[in-house]
Amino acid sequence: MNLLTQNTKLKKTSKALGLRVFNFGIPAYKSASGKLTCPMADECVKFCYAKKGAYVWSNVQPAFEKRYQLSKTNDFIDAMNSEILKKKPDYIRVHDSGDYYSRAYLHKWIEVAIHNPSVRFYSYTNMVSMMLNVSLPANYDIIFSDSGKQKNLIDEVKHRHTKIFTSSTDLDNAGYVNASVVDLYATKWFNDTNKVGLIFH
């Protein structure tokens, strides 16, 4: 099973920056058994790109489900460490699909990041309260999505966050950095503001 893959955007990001950028994904919103994988998703469910296109192909969905099932086991950390050793990523986007569905799961990722200090990890997430009450290692970055149930907890001055725009003109006028094409522009390593803009597609 491939734990780390590259979606189209991350392939373009890797090429543009000359870096090895991989992603890890689990089912979007709900698993095959109906378990919520994005517990704090709200209006974003309507336009979630991970619920359409290649993400829902019959040959792709089972891979997301297998990764989700593995993520619930005690074998996950060792499996991910082995995958990182094999793929040698510079950056890992945790969840191009899905979210931190439990505190125990989040702590597994923190352990993986601690074990791999030369790799940088980042995520978009709706789990605002959970993230505000955890200590992340220096090689981990979080971008809050502004379309979840806890968006009221986002301090747009203090917290790195996203807004969705309908055009690049609107995005620029609002003073946001455009991370629609190059994904790493959303992170603290490439963006010294907290304003991350994405164009609806």
Side-chain angles (χ1 to χ4, degrees), residues 151-170:
K151 64 182 181 181
N152 61 301
L153 300 178
I154 300 172
D155 182 331
E156 293 187 356
V157 175
K158 290 169 53 180
H159 303 143
R160 189 174 307 281
H161 65 281
T162 61
K163 282 194 184 297
I164 308 295
F165 296 89
T166 55
S167 71
S168 57
T169 301
D170 290 344

PDB file of all heavy atoms in Angstrom, residues 151-170:
ATOM      1  N   LYS A 151     -15.106  27.705  12.920  1.00  0.00           N
ATOM      2  CA  LYS A 151     -14.440  28.865  12.314  1.00  0.00           C
ATOM      3  C   LYS A 151     -14.518  30.105  13.199  1.00  0.00           C
ATOM      4  O   LYS A 151     -13.683  31.007  13.073  1.00  0.00           O
ATOM      5  CB  LYS A 151     -15.029  29.160  10.930  1.00  0.00           C
ATOM      6  CG  LYS A 151     -16.495  29.577  10.922  1.00  0.00           C
ATOM      7  CD  LYS A 151     -16.960  29.798   9.492  1.00  0.00           C
ATOM      8  CE  LYS A 151     -18.419  30.234   9.451  1.00  0.00           C
ATOM      9  NZ  LYS A 151     -18.881  30.436   8.061  1.00  0.00           N
ATOM     10  N   ASN A 152     -15.480  30.131  14.123  1.00  0.00           N
ATOM     11  CA  ASN A 152     -15.575  31.261  15.046  1.00  0.00           C
ATOM     12  C   ASN A 152     -14.390  31.333  16.005  1.00  0.00           C
ATOM     13  O   ASN A 152     -14.147  32.370  16.635  1.00  0.00           O
ATOM     14  CB  ASN A 152     -16.872  31.172  15.857  1.00  0.00           C
ATOM     15  CG  ASN A 152     -16.951  29.915  16.708  1.00  0.00           C
ATOM     16  OD1 ASN A 152     -16.888  28.800  16.181  1.00  0.00           O
ATOM     17  ND2 ASN A 152     -17.095  30.059  18.011  1.00  0.00           N
ATOM     18  N   LEU A 153     -13.635  30.238  16.122  1.00  0.00           N
ATOM     19  CA  LEU A 153     -12.478  30.207  17.012  1.00  0.00           C
ATOM     20  C   LEU A 153     -11.200  30.711  16.328  1.00  0.00           C
ATOM     21  O   LEU A 153     -10.166  30.875  16.985  1.00  0.00           O
ATOM     22  CB  LEU A 153     -12.225  28.777  17.510  1.00  0.00           C
ATOM     23  CG  LEU A 153     -13.352  28.109  18.301  1.00  0.00           C
ATOM     24  CD1 LEU A 153     -12.949  26.683  18.675  1.00  0.00           C
ATOM     25  CD2 LEU A 153     -13.676  28.913  19.556  1.00  0.00           C
ATOM     26  N   ILE A 154     -11.280  30.965  15.031  1.00  0.00           N
ATOM     27  CA  ILE A 154     -10.104  31.416  14.292  1.00  0.00           C
ATOM     28  C   ILE A 154      -9.892  32.909  14.503  1.00  0.00           C
ATOM     29  O   ILE A 154     -10.784  33.720  14.251  1.00  0.00           O
ATOM     30  CB  ILE A 154     -10.259  31.122  12.786  1.00  0.00           C
ATOM     31  CG1 ILE A 154     -10.430  29.614  12.533  1.00  0.00           C
ATOM     32  CG2 ILE A 154      -9.044  31.653  12.012  1.00  0.00           C
ATOM     33  CD1 ILE A 154     -10.791  29.275  11.096  1.00  0.00           C
ATOM     34  N   ASP A 155      -8.723  33.264  14.970  1.00  0.00           N
ATOM     35  CA  ASP A 155      -8.309  34.662  15.068  1.00  0.00           C
ATOM     36  C   ASP A 155      -7.516  34.964  13.808  1.00  0.00           C
ATOM     37  O   ASP A 155      -6.378  34.503  13.662  1.00  0.00           O
ATOM     38  CB  ASP A 155      -7.448  34.873  16.319  1.00  0.00           C
ATOM     39  CG  ASP A 155      -7.025  36.321  16.512  1.00  0.00           C
ATOM     40  OD1 ASP A 155      -6.891  37.045  15.503  1.00  0.00           O
ATOM     41  OD2 ASP A 155      -6.797  36.720  17.666  1.00  0.00           O
ATOM     42  N   GLU A 156      -8.088  35.720  12.891  1.00  0.00           N
ATOM     43  CA  GLU A 156      -7.463  35.917  11.587  1.00  0.00           C
ATOM     44  C   GLU A 156      -6.174  36.722  11.664  1.00  0.00           C
ATOM     45  O   GLU A 156      -5.391  36.728  10.709  1.00  0.00           O
ATOM     46  CB  GLU A 156      -8.457  36.566  10.618  1.00  0.00           C
ATOM     47  CG  GLU A 156      -9.623  35.648  10.277  1.00  0.00           C
ATOM     48  CD  GLU A 156     -10.514  36.205   9.186  1.00  0.00           C
ATOM     49  OE1 GLU A 156     -10.270  37.354   8.741  1.00  0.00           O
ATOM     50  OE2 GLU A 156     -11.453  35.488   8.784  1.00  0.00           O
ATOM     51  N   VAL A 157      -5.918  37.378  12.778  1.00  0.00           N
ATOM     52  CA  VAL A 157      -4.659  38.098  12.957  1.00  0.00           C
ATOM     53  C   VAL A 157      -3.565  37.128  13.421  1.00  0.00           C
ATOM     54  O   VAL A 157      -2.439  37.143  12.934  1.00  0.00           O
ATOM     55  CB  VAL A 157      -4.817  39.251  13.968  1.00  0.00           C
ATOM     56  CG1 VAL A 157      -3.468  39.917  14.239  1.00  0.00           C
ATOM     57  CG2 VAL A 157      -5.822  40.276  13.456  1.00  0.00           C
ATOM     58  N   LYS A 158      -3.916  36.254  14.349  1.00  0.00           N
ATOM     59  CA  LYS A 158      -2.930  35.348  14.952  1.00  0.00           C
ATOM     60  C   LYS A 158      -2.773  34.024  14.209  1.00  0.00           C
ATOM     61  O   LYS A 158      -1.684  33.453  14.175  1.00  0.00           O
ATOM     62  CB  LYS A 158      -3.335  35.021  16.400  1.00  0.00           C
ATOM     63  CG  LYS A 158      -3.198  36.162  17.371  1.00  0.00           C
ATOM     64  CD  LYS A 158      -3.866  35.850  18.699  1.00  0.00           C
ATOM     65  CE  LYS A 158      -3.393  34.531  19.291  1.00  0.00           C
ATOM     66  NZ  LYS A 158      -4.055  34.253  20.584  1.00  0.00           N
ATOM     67  N   HIS A 159      -3.841  33.510  13.621  1.00  0.00           N
ATOM     68  CA  HIS A 159      -3.835  32.146  13.092  1.00  0.00           C
ATOM     69  C   HIS A 159      -3.733  32.108  11.563  1.00  0.00           C
ATOM     70  O   HIS A 159      -4.458  32.839  10.876  1.00  0.00           O
ATOM     71  CB  HIS A 159      -5.110  31.410  13.518  1.00  0.00           C
ATOM     72  CG  HIS A 159      -5.315  31.365  14.996  1.00  0.00           C
ATOM     73  ND1 HIS A 159      -6.577  31.470  15.577  1.00  0.00           N
ATOM     74  CD2 HIS A 159      -4.432  31.237  16.023  1.00  0.00           C
ATOM     75  CE1 HIS A 159      -6.454  31.399  16.891  1.00  0.00           C
ATOM     76  NE2 HIS A 159      -5.164  31.264  17.180  1.00  0.00           N
ATOM     77  N   ARG A 160      -2.876  31.243  11.056  1.00  0.00           N
ATOM     78  CA  ARG A 160      -2.824  31.012   9.612  1.00  0.00           C
ATOM     79  C   ARG A 160      -4.147  30.371   9.198  1.00  0.00           C
ATOM     80  O   ARG A 160      -4.589  29.388   9.804  1.00  0.00           O
ATOM     81  CB  ARG A 160      -1.646  30.090   9.280  1.00  0.00           C
ATOM     82  CG  ARG A 160      -1.358  29.943   7.788  1.00  0.00           C
ATOM     83  CD  ARG A 160      -0.079  29.133   7.561  1.00  0.00           C
ATOM     84  NE  ARG A 160       1.029  29.698   8.311  1.00  0.00           N
ATOM     85  CZ  ARG A 160       1.726  30.769   7.939  1.00  0.00           C
ATOM     86  NH1 ARG A 160       1.425  31.375   6.812  1.00  0.00           N
ATOM     87  NH2 ARG A 160       2.707  31.231   8.682  1.00  0.00           N
ATOM     88  N   HIS A 161      -4.784  30.934   8.188  1.00  0.00           N
ATOM     89  CA  HIS A 161      -6.123  30.484   7.817  1.00  0.00           C
ATOM     90  C   HIS A 161      -6.345  30.680   6.323  1.00  0.00           C
ATOM     91  O   HIS A 161      -5.615  31.398   5.660  1.00  0.00           O
ATOM     92  CB  HIS A 161      -7.187  31.282   8.590  1.00  0.00           C
ATOM     93  CG  HIS A 161      -7.185  32.747   8.223  1.00  0.00           C
ATOM     94  ND1 HIS A 161      -6.255  33.635   8.723  1.00  0.00           N
ATOM     95  CD2 HIS A 161      -7.977  33.462   7.385  1.00  0.00           C
ATOM     96  CE1 HIS A 161      -6.477  34.842   8.220  1.00  0.00           C
ATOM     97  NE2 HIS A 161      -7.507  34.761   7.398  1.00  0.00           N
ATOM     98  N   THR A 162      -7.366  30.008   5.817  1.00  0.00           N
ATOM     99  CA  THR A 162      -7.710  30.139   4.397  1.00  0.00           C
ATOM    100  C   THR A 162      -9.023  30.885   4.214  1.00  0.00           C
ATOM    101  O   THR A 162      -9.893  30.890   5.083  1.00  0.00           O
ATOM    102  CB  THR A 162      -7.893  28.768   3.720  1.00  0.00           C
ATOM    103  OG1 THR A 162      -8.963  28.072   4.365  1.00  0.00           O
ATOM    104  CG2 THR A 162      -6.631  27.943   3.776  1.00  0.00           C
ATOM    105  N   LYS A 163      -9.115  31.487   3.047  1.00  0.00           N
ATOM    106  CA  LYS A 163     -10.393  31.975   2.546  1.00  0.00           C
ATOM    107  C   LYS A 163     -10.496  31.537   1.087  1.00  0.00           C
ATOM    108  O   LYS A 163      -9.495  31.490   0.371  1.00  0.00           O
ATOM    109  CB  LYS A 163     -10.492  33.499   2.650  1.00  0.00           C
ATOM    110  CG  LYS A 163     -10.799  33.993   4.065  1.00  0.00           C
ATOM    111  CD  LYS A 163     -11.212  35.450   4.057  1.00  0.00           C
ATOM    112  CE  LYS A 163     -11.428  35.968   5.458  1.00  0.00           C
ATOM    113  NZ  LYS A 163     -12.533  35.271   6.155  1.00  0.00           N
ATOM    114  N   ILE A 164     -11.708  31.203   0.683  1.00  0.00           N
ATOM    115  CA  ILE A 164     -11.965  30.793  -0.694  1.00  0.00           C
ATOM    116  C   ILE A 164     -12.466  32.001  -1.483  1.00  0.00           C
ATOM    117  O   ILE A 164     -13.376  32.703  -1.031  1.00  0.00           O
ATOM    118  CB  ILE A 164     -13.024  29.674  -0.757  1.00  0.00           C
ATOM    119  CG1 ILE A 164     -12.646  28.513   0.175  1.00  0.00           C
ATOM    120  CG2 ILE A 164     -13.216  29.178  -2.193  1.00  0.00           C
ATOM    121  CD1 ILE A 164     -11.404  27.775  -0.205  1.00  0.00           C
ATOM    122  N   PHE A 165     -11.873  32.250  -2.644  1.00  0.00           N
ATOM    123  CA  PHE A 165     -12.262  33.371  -3.495  1.00  0.00           C
ATOM    124  C   PHE A 165     -12.723  32.862  -4.849  1.00  0.00           C
ATOM    125  O   PHE A 165     -12.367  31.759  -5.272  1.00  0.00           O
ATOM    126  CB  PHE A 165     -11.081  34.329  -3.675  1.00  0.00           C
ATOM    127  CG  PHE A 165     -10.621  34.992  -2.402  1.00  0.00           C
ATOM    128  CD1 PHE A 165      -9.658  34.390  -1.599  1.00  0.00           C
ATOM    129  CD2 PHE A 165     -11.169  36.201  -2.000  1.00  0.00           C
ATOM    130  CE1 PHE A 165      -9.242  34.993  -0.418  1.00  0.00           C
ATOM    131  CE2 PHE A 165     -10.758  36.811  -0.816  1.00  0.00           C
ATOM    132  CZ  PHE A 165      -9.787  36.202  -0.027  1.00  0.00           C
ATOM    133  N   THR A 166     -13.497  33.677  -5.528  1.00  0.00           N
ATOM    134  CA  THR A 166     -13.999  33.282  -6.847  1.00  0.00           C
ATOM    135  C   THR A 166     -13.059  33.713  -7.966  1.00  0.00           C
ATOM    136  O   THR A 166     -13.179  33.225  -9.092  1.00  0.00           O
ATOM    137  CB  THR A 166     -15.397  33.869  -7.106  1.00  0.00           C
ATOM    138  OG1 THR A 166     -15.341  35.292  -6.929  1.00  0.00           O
ATOM    139  CG2 THR A 166     -16.422  33.294  -6.129  1.00  0.00           C
ATOM    140  N   SER A 167     -12.115  34.609  -7.666  1.00  0.00           N
ATOM    141  CA  SER A 167     -11.171  35.050  -8.691  1.00  0.00           C
ATOM    142  C   SER A 167      -9.866  35.484  -8.039  1.00  0.00           C
ATOM    143  O   SER A 167      -9.830  35.833  -6.855  1.00  0.00           O
ATOM    144  CB  SER A 167     -11.743  36.214  -9.498  1.00  0.00           C
ATOM    145  OG  SER A 167     -11.774  37.395  -8.702  1.00  0.00           O
ATOM    146  N   SER A 168      -8.793  35.478  -8.836  1.00  0.00           N
ATOM    147  CA  SER A 168      -7.496  35.918  -8.330  1.00  0.00           C
ATOM    148  C   SER A 168      -7.515  37.410  -8.022  1.00  0.00           C
ATOM    149  O   SER A 168      -6.808  37.872  -7.123  1.00  0.00           O
ATOM    150  CB  SER A 168      -6.395  35.594  -9.339  1.00  0.00           C
ATOM    151  OG  SER A 168      -6.669  36.184 -10.592  1.00  0.00           O
ATOM    152  N   THR A 169      -8.330  38.165  -8.749  1.00  0.00           N
ATOM    153  CA  THR A 169      -8.445  39.606  -8.486  1.00  0.00           C
ATOM    154  C   THR A 169      -9.004  39.850  -7.092  1.00  0.00           C
ATOM    155  O   THR A 169      -8.469  40.671  -6.326  1.00  0.00           O
ATOM    156  CB  THR A 169      -9.351  40.273  -9.538  1.00  0.00           C
ATOM    157  OG1 THR A 169      -8.799  40.064 -10.837  1.00  0.00           O
ATOM    158  CG2 THR A 169      -9.464  41.772  -9.281  1.00  0.00           C
ATOM    159  N   ASP A 170     -10.071  39.133  -6.743  1.00  0.00           N
ATOM    160  CA  ASP A 170     -10.660  39.279  -5.406  1.00  0.00           C
ATOM    161  C   ASP A 170      -9.665  38.865  -4.333  1.00  0.00           C
ATOM    162  O   ASP A 170      -9.563  39.498  -3.283  1.00  0.00           O
ATOM    163  CB  ASP A 170     -11.925  38.430  -5.294  1.00  0.00           C
ATOM    164  CG  ASP A 170     -13.075  38.971  -6.129  1.00  0.00           C
ATOM    165  OD1 ASP A 170     -13.006  40.149  -6.541  1.00  0.00           O
ATOM    166  OD2 ASP A 170     -14.029  38.221  -6.371  1.00  0.00           O
TER     167      ASP A 170
END
